[in-house]
Amino acid sequence: MSTLSVGSHAHDDAHGGGHAHAGSFLSTYVFSKDHKVIGIQFLFSTLLWFLVGGLLALGIRWQLAYPWSDMPVIGKMLFANEGGQISPEFYTILFTMHASVMIFFVIIPILAGAFGNFLIPLMIGADDMAFPTLNMLSYWFMWPAFIAFTMSFFVAGGAAKGGWTSYPPLSLTDMSGQTLWLIGLTFVGVSSMMGSINYMTTIIQMRAPGMTMFRLPMTIWAMFITAILQAFALPVLTAAGFMQLLDRTAGTGFFIPAGWTANNAAAASGGGQPLLWQHLFWFYSHPAVYIMILPAMGMVSDIIACFSRKPLFGYKPMVYSIAGIAGLGFIVWGHHMFVSGMNPWLGMTFMVSTMMIALPSAIKTFNWLGTIWGGNIRFTTAMLFALSFVSMFIIGGLSGIFMAATPVDIFIHDTYFIVAHFHYVLFSGTAMGVFGAIYFWFPKMFGRMMNEPAGKVHFLLTFLFLNGTFFTMHILGVVGFPRRLADPYHYPTFHHLRPLNVFMTWCAIGMVATQVIFATNFIWSIFFGPKAGRNPWHANGLEWAAPSPPGHGNFDVQPVVYRGPYEYGSPEVDTDYYPQTQPPPAHTEGAPAPVPAAAH
Amino acid sequence: MTWIAMTRIAMNRQANIALRLLPVVATLLLAAGCGKSEPPVFHLNMIAINQAQIPVEQQKELANILEALYGTPNEPFVLADTGLDLAKLKIAAGPVRSDQFGREGGLYRRQCGHCHGTTGDGRGPTALLLNPYPRDYRQGKFKFKSTERAAKPTTIDLDRVIRHGIPGTAMPAFGLLPESQIAALTEYVKYLSLRGETELRLINAIADLSEGEKLAATREGLVDEIVKPLAETWTNASESIINPEPQPAGEAAASVAAGRELYYGAKANCVKCHGPGELGDGQTNDYDDWTKPLVEMAKSIASEREGLDTNTDLDSTQRREIQARLALSSLILETDSLPPRNAIPRNLRQGIYRGGRAPVDLYRRIYAGINGAPMPGVGPATPGATGTLTNDEIWNLVDYVRSLPYELHTPAKTTAAPVHASIEQNRF
Amino acid sequence: MGKFWSLIFLLVPVLGVAAFVVAPWYDHWLPRDISEHGHTIDHLFYFILWLTGAVFVATEVVMFWFMWRYDSQGKANPVKYMHGSHTLEIVWTILPAATLLFIAIYQMNAWANAKIISPAAGPDGILGTADDMRPMLEVTARQFEWRLRYPGLKAEGVLGDSDDIHVVNDLHLPVNEEILLDLKSADVLHSFFLPNVRVKQDAVPGMKIPVWFRCTETGSYDLVCAELCGWGHYKMKGRLTVESREDFDKWLAQKYRDQEATQDPQLVGKGDGE
């Protein structure tokens, strides 16, 4: 792929992207093949679904704080006959769809689809992805999934209610909502596969001259390895989803034993195993959780190095750690199944591998701490979110050790200890990292700055409320408070835990309300934020050499890379940063001359 | 100028504007969610009303009468004549709550309402997912009890169902609830049933009125004609308890063999419905008494529609009128009922007995049949009369039925293995 | 402002530790352990809690300290320009690796006792011989109740004949005896969770899974379903009553009588049905 010709796009500086060709509104902003537009499409879609997922979570929290009371909004809309009191199966819909939306419509697409798409070509010095049409399709393939999930709320029986893990045989007993869920998942899977192929190819083939693999920013390494994870793990989920679809619609028996029946329905032909689903599902879904954090880890590394004004500590160990997490991530899936009835000898093997996967995460944490040590820290909003990622990830990672310990897992499996763990890594970790990334790369995306004080208020309130909501879940888990119970207070053991749940619910409400500040800031700043220059943060990456926002083709001149991305505080120059594309000082011999831009 | 200074300048100008937007957005969001739900109300039995063609004004009158007699879901009321304990009803009714002493209220809504419905019509939100559907109390018919077929269940019968659940169905066993709560719920079930039957009788009474006539002007009239007789059926239920004569002494095997003969014989003819392999597959086309009216209604709507197509005598106004009426009936059938299901005879090889597994329970099922279901009784229809089978014969059948789940092979029957045989597999 | 933010981050270890210290005072802690192997599990829990707690406090405090100390305060201070430390990388790879491996191996015995070494084989340790332990009962999880089946009183300890005693949700067990039960499911996945006994095992349709434990105290405890099984997952409440062998036998005999009743207890003066 050749790069951009100089001149015709010099004025792209001040405008939004993608007007270089005289295209229609549709081809420029809707069916665009420009990776930046596609990235922003993903960003907007996922942020909207973030709101939906958050509101579903509030439904869960309300029921746990005020069980069987008149639920706000939903009670009036759906349960007027019952005075606003939700029904138990509606609760199962709430937690199933909250998780499904957050995992498949928010976290995975925002990391890979939004940031992966936007940043990869810019950070490696390419003018677009290797396969722009495939890229466009990867966004539009999300829409059938969006529609399927939305529709599922309105069909008879309501949306899927077997948990996001949709274990058979329960998921086979559900009505059409579950079928729509499976269809939605298939489309998400195909979209992710398209993306992963694109990212791998682009990163391998389209790096700018001088951009060796070990000069790539951590964001790119993370996106690259995540793409490999997607490619190897997703087909298993897609196959399993298809098998479940057949069990539901075509009378096959992959996951049900012979003569199986439930709810007085006719006996099934059977011949299968419920545990087979669990193995197939977790074989994907465990790497999926790493898919859901590695890109955030990469972005956080870039942000922390930038605002510490100091090189990233241990670049190569950081890269190897990401690879280690990904590799080990394929051999730990059984830790979700310790008490599932699988051969208990597997409890031994998976315990060892799961314990070991804590190691690369620990190494990364120490390296982040090493990065801020001796630095000159700028507490911008992006930096605050990135630092909170580290602080919260420590909690999430350490709580994982309890679960890896198989005998202890006997007690805490399916309790709120697990819920605490994954909310720490996914929300307090990844989502905070995502917020940081938004604040950091917003100027590049939209050519304007977000409001810093509003950002800091957003950070402070989110940070306080999330800890109030999720840290207390560890305590609930220690009591043995089970997951997915519409009314845990039936049980004398858990009867006294309601006040704590009330506290958590109000923290959660505060947390969701706080996001109004973020939404306002985000939307306002797109239109009215102060104009940003190319490099408002004085960062080193290639993306900061392009205009803000970059035009079609990204760079004015073909970037050439002279060094790694973390040369902050370098003694070679007077400034405290040293961009990758900046040629070394004139007296240095042997520096390659800038390559003249080729015709487009 | 450093980026920090730049940002600071930008902040001051834009921050004010941005933050001013905030309350507007927040208020809009809050407004969307605020406002409590209305208290729930009892729903009229629209199927019965539609079939009796009660006009709207009289529907309103009906609703008022019922409210005067029985109150609302949040504030129940009963006359003393009903024999019901209002204090218990108040504990069972209303929203889920607990007072400062930890005493719980709103028990019905907490435990029962999402299946049995606010009105006790068996159509709560969860009902669609269940097989069989939850009980509709409004006809006053109950399947599993100790009394004669047509009689009401005793309080202990209802208590047992709540305590032990109904095996093989979604009705859970609530035996771990405190005694006082089970007592309150039992009372509330009676209340809903009484209210439902009162409603049906009132609907019939209204339907029987001639043009311009009104229902009995005084409350006493209605109470005497309808409420009191209904209440008596409940209070007198214990007089109809089926008390089996003792089982004759003898060899168990002989009794089982005799039972088998009766099963396949013409007198009891169990095989007709329960099938030659006792799998419940003999005949599966029948409906229970809660479903029959719906099926009839659907059939009559369909046949009237057909008749409408072929009838050339009607003018367009008449035609439109009839079409509108049929459309309304159709709509009510769709919204006010669950999709009809056949009544399937029990698979006797599973060892699941919905009304209880003790010999006396099975005796009663066979003696009186199951009220509301196609299962007929073979005992005396009234006390003192002669039934199809004698006491000893019924005991033979009981023994036969109890032996079935443990009988691995029955020669010359279907070869389906009883589900009781455990399916063992090695761990995956 | 950097100092302010550092202090916000310092709240994490402070409030985090405070939460875990205060919780037991308010009875927000592990439920009472009434089992024999439960103390092993609890001990392992505490071991990991102290270990991770120490790491948690150390790393979070170090993070706070670095944030506080290296706050730029708006100035362009010099930084320690370095790309890493080979020594440090080795140290903080080997130490955690060794610790994690140790924790894993340390636990293996506890897991084996809980899930692999079943008492079913009896004193001779060989399955299929005469001294095998028979299950005391069979638990079938069903939407939404626990169906318990004890061997009847006629044939000694034999499950699966017409003699069996069927009980719902009301699990009684004798104290201080090794309990072996068979766990089955009638329809979908459930999970047999006794919080006070530290026992949890999924019930899988098509499988019969042995569960074993020994209760050391009498009393009444919860039986909870711990695997989503449908809308009534929360309703699958059972009660475990641990009592002396005599009381247990009496209870079982009463249940048997109720089950074999040919006359109605309500008519002969007893208050209890089936």
Side-chain angles (χ1 to χ4, degrees):
Chain A
M1 271 264 197
S2 61
T3 54
L4 207 45
S5 59
V6 171
S8 46
H9 308 283
H11 61 289
D12 281 355
D13 244 324
H15 298 268
H19 75 290
H21 301 275
S24 63
F25 178 84
L26 271 185
S27 71
T28 310
Y29 293 108
V30 181
F31 294 108
S32 169
K33 296 183 190 175
D34 186 317
H35 72 100
K36 300 183 291 299
V37 176
I38 297 169
I40 292 173
Q41 285 175 318
F42 267 107
L43 185 65
F44 289 165
S45 308
T46 53
L47 286 177
L48 280 172
W49 279 107
F50 206 171
L51 179 66
V52 172
L55 293 174
L56 290 169
L58 287 187
I60 301 171
R61 285 303 335 155
W62 188 270
Q63 170 68 11
L64 287 176
Y66 306 111
W68 314 122
S69 65
D70 179 7
M71 185 173 281
V73 184
I74 290 173
K76 243 171 134 170
M77 264 173 27
L78 300 175
F79 293 100
N81 285 348
E82 288 78 32
Q85 175 185 322
I86 64 165
S87 61
E89 75 280 357
F90 187 74
Y91 186 76
T92 60
I93 291 177
L94 280 175
F95 62 69
T96 302
M97 296 312 287
H98 162 69
S100 307
V101 162
M102 286 304 202
I103 291 171
F104 296 110
F105 286 179
V106 182
I107 298 288
I108 294 181
I110 205 173
L111 289 174
F115 286 101
N117 249 317
F118 191 87
L119 293 175
I120 290 176
L122 284 171
M123 283 179 140
I124 66 174
D127 62 349
D128 207 308
M129 287 285 185
F131 308 117
T133 310
L134 191 66
N135 206 11
M136 177 190 76
L137 287 176
S138 90
Y139 175 70
W140 285 105
F141 261 68
M142 292 296 288
W143 273 87
F146 295 159
I147 292 168
F149 270 35
T150 308
M151 262 177 68
S152 71
F153 282 95
F154 298 103
V155 296
K161 46 184 89 61
W164 82 276
T165 47
S166 78
Y167 283 0
L170 178 67
S171 55
L172 304 179
T173 63
D174 202 355
M175 294 170 78
S176 359
Q178 176 69 20
T179 307
L180 285 167
W181 185 89
L182 289 165
I183 291 171
L185 233 66
T186 310
F187 277 102
V188 174
V190 172
S191 159
S192 293
M193 284 297 306
M194 293 181 188
S196 106
I197 295 166
N198 225 341
Y199 301 168
M200 288 192 283
T201 312
T202 307
I203 292 170
I204 293 174
Q205 296 288 72
M206 295 177 64
R207 285 167 284 128
M211 181 63 92
T212 61
M213 288 302 281
F214 283 115
R215 282 179 178 173
L216 285 170
M218 287 305 297
T219 301
I220 301 298
W221 268 112
M223 295 289 179
F224 180 54
I225 289 172
T226 301
I228 298 175
L229 270 178
Q230 295 259 44
F232 279 99
L234 257 175
V236 179
L237 179 75
T238 313
F242 196 61
M243 286 157 78
Q244 192 184 119
L245 208 53
L246 288 176
D247 271 12
R248 283 177 56 78
T249 55
T252 54
F254 291 107
F255 304 123
I256 40 187
W260 174 82
T261 177
N263 208 21
N264 288 316
S269 56
Q273 292 260 10
L275 285 178
L276 177 62
W277 167 267
Q278 293 184 43
H279 283 286
L280 293 174
F281 176 84
W282 287 115
F283 187 84
Y284 163 74
S285 296
H286 194 83
V289 313
Y290 298 117
I291 290 168
M292 291 192 270
I293 198 160
L294 293 180
M297 286 180 164
M299 297 194 289
V300 158
S301 297
D302 286 351
I303 296 171
I304 288 184
C306 175
F307 291 114
S308 304
R309 314 311 286 164
K310 183 176 167 278
L312 184 70
F313 201 92
Y315 174 83
K316 277 204 180 152
M318 287 291 243
V319 173
Y320 296 142
S321 298
I322 290 194
I325 293 173
L328 283 170
F330 275 104
I331 58 169
V332 295
W333 81 88
H335 66 232
H336 301 272
M337 296 168 63
F338 283 144
V339 296
S340 66
M342 76 174 175
N343 192 323
W345 280 104
L346 293 173
M348 301 284 208
T349 59
F350 281 116
M351 167 156 70
V352 175
S353 56
T354 307
M355 283 289 180
M356 294 322 294
I357 205 168
L359 177 64
S361 306
I363 293 172
K364 291 190 77 66
T365 307
F366 298 138
N367 278 298
W368 283 315
L369 294 179
T371 307
I372 61 175
W373 167 73
N376 193 37
I377 304 174
R378 308 280 171 81
F379 287 101
T380 59
T381 307
M383 181 59 159
L384 287 168
F385 276 109
L387 288 171
S388 76
F389 175 96
V390 178
S391 169
M392 304 287 93
F393 178 69
I394 291 172
I395 298 177
L398 289 175
S399 65
I401 295 178
F402 291 84
M403 288 147 228
T406 332
V408 180
D409 189 60
I410 294 176
F411 184 73
I412 57 176
H413 170 73
D414 228 81
T415 66
Y416 261 73
F417 206 90
I418 313 290
V419 180
H421 164 73
F422 62 69
H423 280 98
Y424 259 90
V425 281
L426 284 178
F427 186 84
S428 319
T430 298
M432 296 298 261
V434 164
F435 282 133
I438 292 177
Y439 284 97
F440 190 61
W441 277 293
F442 186 94
K444 186 55 56 186
M445 288 181 180
F446 301 106
R448 293 173 184 270
M449 305 296 289
M450 284 181 79
N451 184 290
E452 270 291 300
K456 289 184 168 139
V457 172
H458 171 223
F459 167 73
L460 181 63
L461 292 176
T462 305
F463 189 70
L464 292 172
F465 284 134
L466 75 81
N467 277 295
T469 309
F470 299 125
F471 198 84
T472 40
M473 287 185 182
H474 292 106
I475 306 291
L476 287 182
V478 173
V479 188
F481 196 80
R483 289 171 76 170
R484 298 170 163 176
L485 292 195
D487 187 358
Y489 314 109
H490 261 290
Y491 298 90
T493 311
F494 311 122
H495 198 75
H496 63 301
L497 299 174
R498 204 163 79 81
L500 186 57
N501 273 284
V502 173
F503 168 74
M504 288 159 66
T505 295
W506 285 101
C507 286
I509 291 173
M511 193 165 69
V512 174
T514 304
Q515 307 316 308
V516 173
I517 302 176
F518 170 71
T520 314
N521 191 356
F522 185 78
I523 297 169
W524 175 268
S525 303
I526 289 178
F527 299 104
F528 304 112
K531 289 264 169 61
R534 286 190 188 224
N535 194 354
W537 310 119
H538 293 184
N540 285 342
L542 254 54
E543 73 272 26
W544 304 106
S548 294
H552 195 60
N554 293 342
F555 298 97
D556 315 315
V557 275
Q558 167 66 64
V560 178
V561 175
Y562 300 96
R563 64 193 62 81
Y566 300 117
E567 292 307 301
Y568 296 99
S570 166
E572 282 184 40
V573 283
D574 295 329
T575 52
D576 68 349
Y577 68 109
Y578 198 3
Q580 287 187 279
T581 53
Q582 183 173 315
H587 64 270
T588 308
E589 315 257 288
V595 174
H600 186 59
Chain B
M1 209 186 251
T2 68
W3 61 267
I4 297 171
M6 260 173 51
T7 330
R8 268 211 200 102
I9 293 173
M11 270 155 35
N12 291 332
R13 228 184 290 138
Q14 305 302 333
N16 284 334
I17 310 170
L19 289 172
R20 243 179 269 150
L21 253 189
L22 188 57
V24 177
V25 177
T27 317
L28 284 171
L29 288 174
L30 277 171
C34 267
K36 293 186 135 210
S37 299
E38 294 293 310
V41 294
F42 287 128
H43 284 267
L44 292 175
N45 190 337
M46 291 312 296
I47 303 271
I49 284 174
N50 180 264
Q51 290 298 84
Q53 299 191 25
I54 311 285
V56 176
E57 312 78 48
Q58 289 184 313
Q59 288 177 28
K60 291 202 184 102
E61 199 198 336
L62 175 65
N64 289 336
I65 296 173
L66 285 169
E67 190 171 327
L69 286 174
Y70 293 103
T72 62
N74 278 357
E75 317 232 349
F77 170 76
V78 280
L79 299 164
D81 306 279
T82 59
L84 294 177
D85 184 343
L86 187 59
K88 288 201 177 111
L89 293 181
K90 289 206 164 116
I91 295 173
V96 177
R97 61 198 182 272
S98 61
D99 67 11
Q100 72 220 82
F101 303 110
R103 285 182 302 217
E104 288 178 33
L107 304 172
Y108 182 78
R109 230 173 279 178
R110 185 175 194 186
Q111 312 286 7
C112 328
H114 67 96
C115 289
H116 286 281
T118 306
T119 315
D121 54 5
R123 282 190 303 112
T126 311
L128 184 62
L129 306 178
L130 306 178
N131 184 6
Y133 294 132
R135 180 57 50 236
D136 176 354
Y137 305 132
R138 297 173 303 172
Q139 288 190 32
K141 283 188 187 163
F142 293 83
K143 284 166 103 172
F144 306 114
K145 53 198 176 64
S146 59
T147 56
E148 303 279 346
R149 189 192 184 94
K152 291 280 185 289
T154 63
T155 306
I156 292 187
D157 287 335
L158 291 177
D159 176 285
R160 274 205 199 120
V161 167
I162 293 177
R163 198 181 291 277
H164 300 293
I166 300 182
T169 71
M171 173 67 188
F174 288 100
L176 296 178
L177 288 177
E179 292 293 329
S180 56
Q181 289 192 16
I182 298 181
L185 287 170
T186 312
E187 205 73 355
Y188 200 77
V189 169
K190 280 198 241 176
Y191 162 80
L192 289 175
S193 178
L194 200 52
R195 189 193 165 281
E197 264 199 288
T198 307
E199 181 181 9
L200 284 173
R201 302 249 175 125
L202 281 170
I203 289 172
N204 287 339
I206 294 176
D208 285 342
L209 294 173
S210 32
E211 190 82 35
E213 207 189 333
K214 287 202 122 176
L215 275 180
T218 60
R219 180 199 265 193
E220 281 70 33
L222 283 174
V223 170
D224 284 335
E225 276 173 48
I226 296 177
V227 178
K228 271 204 188 128
L230 277 177
E232 262 165 38
T233 61
W234 280 98
T235 44
N236 294 341
S238 45
E239 288 164 21
S240 310
I241 293 178
I242 299 165
N243 194 13
E245 285 166 44
Q247 185 166 14
E251 274 287 307
S255 181
V256 170
R260 181 180 294 130
E261 292 307 310
L262 288 164
Y263 180 92
Y264 291 98
K267 258 203 294 186
N269 206 8
C270 315
V271 63
K272 172 167 161 238
C273 296
H274 288 280
E278 292 94 1
L279 297 170
D281 54 0
Q283 94 143 1
T284 52
N285 300 330
D286 211 340
Y287 295 99
D288 62 30
D289 288 0
W290 296 272
T291 316
K292 274 195 190 119
L294 306 171
V295 174
E296 307 285 321
M297 187 170 166
K299 275 198 198 130
S300 81
I301 293 173
S303 70
E304 267 205 76
R305 280 214 171 109
E306 237 182 79
L308 202 59
D309 290 337
T310 54
N311 191 334
T312 47
D313 290 339
L314 301 165
D315 66 31
S316 60
T317 327
Q318 288 173 310
R319 194 175 287 275
R320 262 201 304 274
E321 250 178 58
I322 296 178
Q323 272 168 344
R325 178 172 54 78
L326 290 176
L328 179 64
S329 297
S330 208
L331 180 68
I332 286 178
L333 188 59
E334 228 184 271
T335 53
D336 243 47
S337 70
L338 295 165
R341 290 191 187 127
N342 289 109
I344 310 289
R346 191 62 44 238
N347 177 341
L348 297 171
R349 292 196 173 271
Q350 283 187 317
I352 296 175
Y353 308 105
R354 295 190 180 177
R357 64 175 34 233
V360 63
D361 297 318
L362 294 172
Y363 185 100
R364 284 169 170 155
R365 298 293 91 68
I366 297 173
Y367 180 108
I370 298 178
N371 191 13
M375 166 81 180
V378 290
T382 52
T386 321
T388 316
L389 296 182
T390 65
N391 174 63
D392 291 3
E393 285 174 327
I394 296 180
W395 280 119
N396 292 146
L397 267 178
V398 169
D399 286 336
Y400 179 61
V401 165
R402 294 185 86 217
S403 76
L404 285 172
Y406 303 97
E407 198 186 75
L408 291 179
H409 291 291
T410 313
K413 307 288 193 298
T414 57
T415 53
V419 180
H420 227 65
S422 55
I423 304 166
E424 287 184 50
Q425 287 179 315
N426 291 323
R427 295 198 208 182
F428 188 89
Chain C
M1 272 301 271
K3 307 292 190 215
F4 169 74
W5 295 118
S6 315
L7 288 171
I8 295 289
F9 278 78
L10 184 63
L11 283 179
V12 174
V14 168
L15 292 179
V17 170
F20 272 83
V21 164
V22 166
W25 285 105
Y26 288 92
D27 202 22
H28 282 47
W29 202 245
L30 292 167
R32 185 193 182 78
D33 170 33
I34 61 154
S35 72
E36 189 187 48
H37 72 272
H39 82 271
T40 315
I41 291 181
D42 286 4
H43 161 72
L44 287 168
F45 172 80
Y46 283 116
F47 175 69
I48 295 174
L49 183 64
W50 281 104
L51 187 63
T52 53
V55 173
F56 168 63
V57 171
T59 44
E60 299 281 3
V61 168
V62 161
M63 187 167 179
F64 152 75
W65 172 241
F66 288 173
M67 288 171 68
W68 178 278
R69 167 77 179 79
Y70 298 106
D71 171 23
S72 73
Q73 293 173 309
K75 305 200 244 338
N77 308 313
V79 301
K80 298 195 204 308
Y81 176 77
M82 61 191 315
H83 292 87
S85 157
H86 200 59
T87 317
L88 269 178
E89 298 290 346
I90 294 181
V91 167
W92 67 41
T93 303
I94 305 271
L95 273 179
T99 312
L100 292 165
L101 214 49
F102 169 74
I103 302 174
I105 296 172
Y106 186 56
Q107 316 236 13
M108 289 192 170
N109 245 354
W111 175 249
N113 287 330
K115 294 285 182 182
I116 300 178
I117 306 172
S118 131
D124 66 359
I126 305 168
L127 209 55
T129 54
D131 68 344
D132 281 1
M133 188 173 168
R134 284 218 192 88
M136 177 166 294
L137 76 153
E138 183 185 86
V139 178
T140 301
R142 182 184 167 267
Q143 287 173 321
F144 298 103
E145 57 196 4
W146 299 98
R147 303 200 69 83
L148 315 168
R149 194 154 73 113
Y150 291 87
L153 302 182
K154 280 199 218 132
E156 188 60 48
V158 171
L159 256 180
D161 56 16
S162 59
D163 204 35
D164 292 343
I165 302 169
H166 299 253
V167 185
V168 179
N169 288 343
D170 194 11
L171 175 62
H172 283 239
L173 293 173
V175 71
N176 287 322
E177 286 183 35
E178 188 75 39
I179 310 291
L180 175 69
L181 59 88
D182 279 342
L183 185 61
K184 292 166 68 171
S185 166
D187 39 33
V188 298
L189 292 172
H190 300 268
S191 190
F192 182 80
F193 178 32
L194 294 171
N196 300 82
V197 187
R198 311 292 193 260
V199 156
K200 185 179 290 150
Q201 176 57 55
D202 282 9
V204 184
M207 291 174 77
K208 191 161 81 164
I209 301 173
V211 179
W212 58 87
F213 52 90
R214 180 193 290 257
C215 299
T216 52
E217 284 177 41
T218 56
S220 183
Y221 308 99
D222 280 333
L223 163 58
V224 188
C225 180
E227 183 60 57
L228 178 67
C229 50
W231 60 263
H233 176 46
Y234 74 100
K235 252 183 171 143
M236 269 184 79
K237 173 170 146 179
R239 179 181 297 136
L240 166 66
T241 305
V242 185
E243 52 197 353
S244 67
R245 181 31 94 162
E246 300 79 49
D247 287 342
F248 173 74
D249 285 340
K250 257 192 252 165
W251 172 83
L252 202 58
Q254 176 63 48
K255 287 286 162 200
Y256 185 73
R257 278 195 295 277
D258 295 340
Q259 190 177 288
E260 296 299 310
T262 52
Q263 286 199 288
D264 194 330
Q266 77 177 313
L267 299 174
V268 293
K270 290 199 201 122
D272 202 357
E274 177 203 347

